[in-house]
Amino acid sequence: MPYARMNLSSIREIPVIEVATRLGIQVRGTKAMCFSGHDKNSPSLSFHKAHNTWRCFGACGKHGDTIALVMEKEGVDFKSAVEWLAQNFAIDVEPGRRGQRRQTRSCITKKSTIMAAPLPESEYIADPELYAWFISKCDLVTSAAGIKYLDSHGISSETAQRFNIRQLSKPGYALQKLVETWGEQRVCSSGIAWCKDGHADRLIWNSYALLFPFYNDGQITYIQARMIGGDKKFLNLRGIVKPLFNIDRLSGLQPGHTVHLCEGVPDAIALESQNLIGIGILGATSFRAEWVDRFLKFRVIVLGDGDQAGAKFASDISRFFMERGKPVQCMSLPKGKDVADVLAQGGSAK
Ligand SMILES: [Zn+2]
């Protein structure tokens, strides 16, 4: 096998979920039971499509690229894993050089030595285990400033608990505990801290903040914070792809049910506290075409804020659906208002 001539970057670009499936791993969405056999009830293996990587968030903690997946699952070395991938995915291996086997072999050794160096990995990867631990260590919202924020956005304390909204009071202490528990490398790659040369300098959220966990299949796959002290703005994790907020709400919903897509987390929560279905999008640029599938069987209303940016958000999101022939209804709220304003005043977004 003229291994030396195979293109390693094409091998790494084979969609990792296809590789997993070919290896006999049953993937549902981007999740699977870990091949190490430690999973009992819920799947720990997670695939990251954009980075084309995988990671086990359970006992074994293994992770890597397509080649590493074959190595770990099949218990083979780097070279065999690459050969397996080339054979199974018909990567061009320049046939017809069988007469020069010896020469090719010597190239293999040389090349595989270089390639066997640590595999390049994406710097950041969502870390549900670490996020869940972090959220569980932060208190429910008790400060006057935090409660005031929730009130002004039409979020009752009941709803705040339902969405597991927490407050972050001591960012320095929180970072120290994170590093003690998970190690600096894992803290840094989870996107929760500012890191320099592998050293976690400070938490992304460096003053009092409200934390909004994002659940996907029951796991916390993302956290967004609203800063209350200091700059009053939302701050996201570093380097982690922004998912939809409240997406688990769709499971179990009857076809034809009305679902509101709105901009941001508080709007989604405000809708939910009025018994409407609200899914939060962290800006139109974070929306991904493949997410449309999740909404095909529902009646979709896209809610934009009553300003120019809100109108653009609604038309950008609608375009994803139009391209799939799925009609959606666009609504914009009274000028200068967002969903939360309207609901907090006892109005209705209907
Ligand atoms: Zn595992």
Side-chain angles (χ1 to χ4, degrees):
M1 177 113 195
Y3 162 83
R5 297 191 167 270
M6 287 185 316
N7 185 343
L8 276 169
S9 57
S10 357
I11 295 254
R12 290 202 169 97
E13 280 161 21
I14 303 167
V16 68
I17 292 180
E18 280 184 47
V19 173
T21 307
R22 196 72 67 95
L23 286 166
I25 299 171
Q26 289 194 336
V27 184
R28 288 191 63 194
T30 56
K31 296 275 184 311
M33 302 298 265
C34 181
F35 52 79
S36 299
H38 52 70
D39 285 339
K40 295 280 185 299
N41 302 311
S42 60
S44 296
L45 203 56
S46 184
F47 298 90
H48 195 300
K49 282 187 190 168
H51 297 151
N52 210 36
T53 55
W54 57 279
R55 180 182 285 270
C56 172
F57 291 101
C60 76
K62 289 173 180 168
H63 58 93
D65 62 4
T66 53
I67 303 170
L69 184 60
V70 179
M71 288 169 70
E72 293 290 354
K73 167 76 172 47
E74 296 301 297
V76 297
D77 62 14
F78 182 87
K79 176 170 168 282
S80 311
V82 170
E83 284 176 358
W84 185 93
L85 283 161
Q87 272 165 6
N88 277 272
F89 292 90
I91 302 288
D92 179 24
V93 290
E94 281 196 27
R97 295 179 62 94
R98 287 198 182 84
Q100 298 178 17
R101 206 152 215 264
R102 268 185 86 93
Q103 191 195 334
T104 313
R105 284 255 171 217
S106 67
C107 292
I108 295 167
T109 319
K110 199 173 158 205
K111 198 144 194 167
S112 65
T113 314
I114 298 162
M115 293 300 173
L119 302 171
E121 248 222 316
S122 151
E123 208 178 332
Y124 301 103
I125 185 158
D127 196 335
E129 203 184 354
L130 181 149
Y131 301 156
W133 180 89
F134 179 68
I135 288 292
S136 75
K137 297 293 174 191
C138 293
D139 293 329
L140 292 169
V141 183
T142 55
S143 84
I147 291 169
K148 189 177 160 211
Y149 177 86
L150 295 178
D151 272 354
S152 67
H153 286 76
I155 302 170
S156 66
S157 65
E158 224 167 56
T159 310
Q161 285 190 35
R162 181 180 143 207
F163 284 92
N164 206 13
I165 303 170
R166 302 285 171 133
Q167 64 182 6
L168 173 67
S169 310
K170 299 181 214 152
Y173 179 72
L175 180 63
Q176 184 194 329
K177 289 289 160 194
L178 272 165
V179 169
E180 273 174 31
T181 310
W182 302 97
E184 222 150 19
Q185 195 191 341
R186 195 151 162 196
V187 168
C188 289
S189 63
S190 76
I192 206 167
W194 290 101
C195 297
K196 219 189 287 162
D197 305 323
H199 174 71
D201 272 343
R202 62 181 180 85
L203 213 61
I204 291 282
W205 313 299
N206 212 23
S207 61
Y208 180 81
L210 298 184
L211 303 174
F212 299 91
F214 287 49
Y215 288 87
N216 192 346
D217 290 337
Q219 289 193 309
I220 299 180
T221 55
Y222 198 79
I223 302 170
Q224 190 186 48
R226 173 59 158 77
M227 308 312 293
I228 304 287
D231 279 348
K232 291 176 176 46
K233 60 182 179 189
F234 287 96
L235 284 181
N236 293 304
L237 294 170
R238 248 184 126 185
I240 305 293
V241 176
K242 296 171 190 161
L244 293 170
F245 178 77
N246 200 28
I247 191 68
D248 276 1
R249 190 68 162 82
L250 297 182
S251 48
L253 273 193
Q254 293 299 314
H257 210 109
T258 300
V259 171
H260 302 80
L261 295 180
C262 55
E263 189 166 16
V265 172
D267 283 4
I269 297 178
L271 284 160
E272 288 287 342
S273 41
Q274 302 290 315
N275 294 317
L276 297 166
I277 313 290
I279 306 292
I281 300 170
L282 300 188
T285 51
S286 77
F287 197 85
R288 293 156 69 186
E290 67 259 30
W291 289 346
V292 169
D293 288 321
R294 308 285 300 260
F295 298 97
L296 290 178
K297 62 177 175 180
F298 303 116
R299 176 172 169 248
V300 176
I301 298 179
V302 184
L303 280 176
D305 296 347
D307 54 22
Q308 216 173 357
K312 182 165 171 14
F313 167 81
S315 78
D316 286 351
I317 297 300
S318 309
R319 202 166 303 131
F320 284 102
F321 287 84
M322 272 152 54
E323 279 167 11
R324 297 284 302 277
K326 163 78 180 169
V328 297
Q329 213 175 331
C330 263
M331 283 189 186
S332 68
L333 293 152
K335 208 170 165 50
K337 303 281 186 194
D338 61 21
V339 178
D341 291 334
V342 173
L343 294 175
Q345 288 163 15
S348 168
K350 277 176 195 163

